[in-house]
């Protein structure tokens, strides 16, 4: 029987068709070609601009020679002198270069209000900020915006005005009154002063709070009105102590008292108290505690020292000098002994080395003589 791919004397081997490998390479080459960007005789989409937009409908593709026209976006106008607004698709598939040919429109010019100022720009998309001088308040919108209005631009609100600050009369209080209470309005920075009426009883009214109010803003005062009420603190009796300042038979609002303790007692708390608005002492009453606090820490215990000579305060006595001399001698002896021991040991080592060298030299000489 005859083998289909060769004789029996060699292993069977099938011969591949020469077209199979070429087919694979061709498929691979086609795939690579397909991955490459396809060349085209057309321009990409026309460029975009912030101030301009296309007037004609877009088309795809744009062939060389095709033109596109631009116009200003809403809120913008043509620059003067006028710049080109037409782009052409060139043979190299690029658009002719263009610049921004439009600029922002302006809203109507704003002037400073009477007794105020306006800051900002008047171009489309910007804002104007208003502020009034001291003593005046702003009536209207504080900020205006330049926005689209039909085919043009305009401010989104009417300009505000600056009006003089006036305050209504402040609040009346029980058992008290304020100055110029007959007026219907008060001007900026005008001051009213409150006071209390006579109580008609054994204790007088105290004014608790700010006695003066200032017209500081439109229909607003600098603070809340005060109160007129009886504020009476109990007699400040301090056990084992005395009042040294602030004597009185009665203690009303803001009365101040200063204390001290008797001999043999120390003060716990503040030595000064004030009668508060709720008829209590602030801070609370102190106490006098038996025993005197040490004024300074006891000095640390020290070793007894030798008496100094009367003629030289602060100088060491004879005993101290003798101790210093003896100590110095001991140090000198110790150092000298140490140095002597080191030198002695060094000399001993040198002698041993020399002796060893002599022995070795004699042995060497003897060996040479025996050899000869």
């Amino acid at each position: 029987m005859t083998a289909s791919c060769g004789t029996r004397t060699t292993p069977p081997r099938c011969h591949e068709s020469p077209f199979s490998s070429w087919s694979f390479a061709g498929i691979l080459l086609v795939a690579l070609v397909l991955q490459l960007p396809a060349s085209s005789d057309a321009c990409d989409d026309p460029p975009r601009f912030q101030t301009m937009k296309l007037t004609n409908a877009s088309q795809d593709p744009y062939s060389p020679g095709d033109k596109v026209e631009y116009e200003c976006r809403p809120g913008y106008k043509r620059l003067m002198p006028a710049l080109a607004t037409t782009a052409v698709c060139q043979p190299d598939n690029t658009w002719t270069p263009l610049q921004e040919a439009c600029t922002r429109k302006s809203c109507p010019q704003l002037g400073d209000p009477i007794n105020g100022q306006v800051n900002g720009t008047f171009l489309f998309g910007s804002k104007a900020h208003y502020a009034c001088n001291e003593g005046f308040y702003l009536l209207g919108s504080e900020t205006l915006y330049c926005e689209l209005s039909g085919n043009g631009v305009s401010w989104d609100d009417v300009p505000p005005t600056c009006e003089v600050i006036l305050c209504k009369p402040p609040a009346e209080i029980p058992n008290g009154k304020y100055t110029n209470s007959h007026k219907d309005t008060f001007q900026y920075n005008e001051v009213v002063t409150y006071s209390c009426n006579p109580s008609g009883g054994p204790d007088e009214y105290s004014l608790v709070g700010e006695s003066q109010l200032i017209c500081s803003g439109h229909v607003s005062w600098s603070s809340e009105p005060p109160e007129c009420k009886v504020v009476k603190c109990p007699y400040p009796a301090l056990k084992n102590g005395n009042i040294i300042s602030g004597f009185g038979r009665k203690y009303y609002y803001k009365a101040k008292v200063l204390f001290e303790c008797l001999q043999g007692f120390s003060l716990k708390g503040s030595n000064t108290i004030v009668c508060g608005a709720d008829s209590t002492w602030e801070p609370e009453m102190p106490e006098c505690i038996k025993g005197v606090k040490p004024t300074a820490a006891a000095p640390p215990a020290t070793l007894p020292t030798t008496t100094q000579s009367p003629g030289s305060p602060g100088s060491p006595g004879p005993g101290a000098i003798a101790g210093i001399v003896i100590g110095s001698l001991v140090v000198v002896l110790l150092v000298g002994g140490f140095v002597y021991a080191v030198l002695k040991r060094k000399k001993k080592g040198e002698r041993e080395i020399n002796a060893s060298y002599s022995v070795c030299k004699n042995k060497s000489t003897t060996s040479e003589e025996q050899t000869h």
Side-chain angles (χ1 to χ4, degrees):
M1 176 181 277
T2 304
S4 61
C5 294
T7 62
R8 292 183 178 272
T9 57
T10 59
R13 182 177 178 183
C14 295
H15 295 282
E16 296 179 357
S17 172
F19 295 102
S20 60
S21 59
W22 283 105
S23 299
F24 177 76
I27 294 172
L28 181 61
L29 182 60
V30 170
L32 292 175
V33 170
L34 291 176
Q35 295 296 322
L36 295 176
S39 60
S40 172
D41 291 333
C43 289
D44 295 330
D45 291 337
R48 295 182 177 273
F49 297 92
Q50 180 181 356
T51 64
M52 303 185 299
K53 64 177 183 177
L54 290 171
T55 58
N56 51 345
S58 62
Q59 62 184 50
D60 189 20
Y62 290 93
S63 302
D66 290 342
K67 297 180 180 180
V68 291
E69 186 72 24
Y70 291 88
E71 65 181 357
C72 294
R73 294 181 183 275
Y76 294 84
K77 62 182 180 178
R78 290 288 299 272
L79 284 169
M80 298 303 294
L83 299 178
T85 57
T86 302
V88 180
C89 179
Q90 301 180 103
D92 60 354
N93 300 330
T94 61
W95 293 98
T96 53
L98 286 181
Q99 297 180 6
E100 297 278 1
C102 302
T103 186
R104 288 188 289 176
K105 293 180 179 180
S106 295
C107 281
Q109 190 79 11
L110 296 173
D112 289 337
I114 300 175
N115 301 311
Q117 307 85 35
V118 59
N119 297 304
T121 61
F122 307 143
L123 299 176
F124 168 63
S126 61
K127 58 184 178 180
H129 180 77
Y130 283 83
C132 294
N133 299 337
E134 185 178 5
F136 298 84
Y137 72 97
L138 199 68
L139 181 61
S141 300
E142 180 180 358
T143 304
L144 301 185
Y145 296 89
C146 184
E147 298 179 344
L148 288 175
S149 177
N151 294 327
V153 294
S154 63
W155 297 105
D156 67 333
D157 204 346
V158 295
T161 58
C162 290
E163 305 293 333
V164 65
I165 290 177
L166 295 174
C167 291
K168 294 180 180 179
E172 296 184 356
I173 59 173
N175 307 314
K177 58 183 181 294
Y178 61 85
T179 56
N180 294 326
S181 57
H182 62 281
K183 298 179 64 173
D184 293 331
T185 58
F186 294 83
Q187 294 183 354
Y188 178 72
N189 274 343
E190 190 170 354
V191 178
V192 297
T193 303
Y194 281 85
S195 60
C196 294
N197 301 326
S199 67
D203 298 313
E204 296 296 331
Y205 292 122
S206 296
L207 189 73
V208 180
E210 295 293 334
S211 62
Q212 292 188 331
L213 271 63
I214 304 172
C215 177
S216 56
H218 181 49
V219 300
S220 63
W221 292 88
S222 57
S223 63
E224 294 296 325
E227 295 180 79
C228 284
K229 63 180 183 178
V230 174
V231 177
K232 184 179 179 182
C233 289
Y235 187 85
L238 181 63
K239 187 177 180 181
N240 300 316
N242 293 319
I243 297 175
I244 60 175
S245 177
F247 296 97
R249 189 171 60 88
K250 295 181 180 181
Y251 293 88
Y252 295 116
Y253 182 53
K254 290 187 177 181
K256 183 185 294 185
V257 178
L258 182 65
F259 296 103
E260 70 173 359
C261 291
L262 301 178
Q263 187 174 2
F265 293 84
S266 59
L267 190 71
K268 179 183 178 182
S270 175
N271 66 341
T272 304
I273 57 175
V274 179
C275 183
D278 58 353
S279 298
T280 59
W281 291 104
E282 298 174 355
E284 61 183 11
M285 286 281 296
E287 296 180 69
C288 287
I289 308 299
K290 189 171 181 60
V292 180
K293 293 182 180 179
T295 56
T302 56
L303 295 174
T305 58
T306 56
T307 306
Q308 299 176 353
S309 60
S312 55
S315 61
I321 295 174
I324 293 172
V325 172
I326 293 173
S328 300
L329 292 175
V330 169
V331 172
V332 171
L333 291 174
L334 290 174
V335 173
F338 176 75
V339 172
Y340 174 76
V342 172
L343 294 175
K344 185 177 180 181
R345 187 171 182 181
K346 183 178 180 181
K347 289 181 178 180
K348 183 178 178 180
E350 290 177 351
R351 287 199 298 269
E352 291 177 352
I353 291 172
N354 291 334
S356 299
Y357 176 73
S358 298
V359 171
C360 291
K361 186 175 182 181
N362 292 336
K363 287 183 179 182
S364 176
T365 303
T366 305
S367 299
E368 290 179 357
E369 290 177 353
Q370 290 176 357
T371 302
H372 290 297

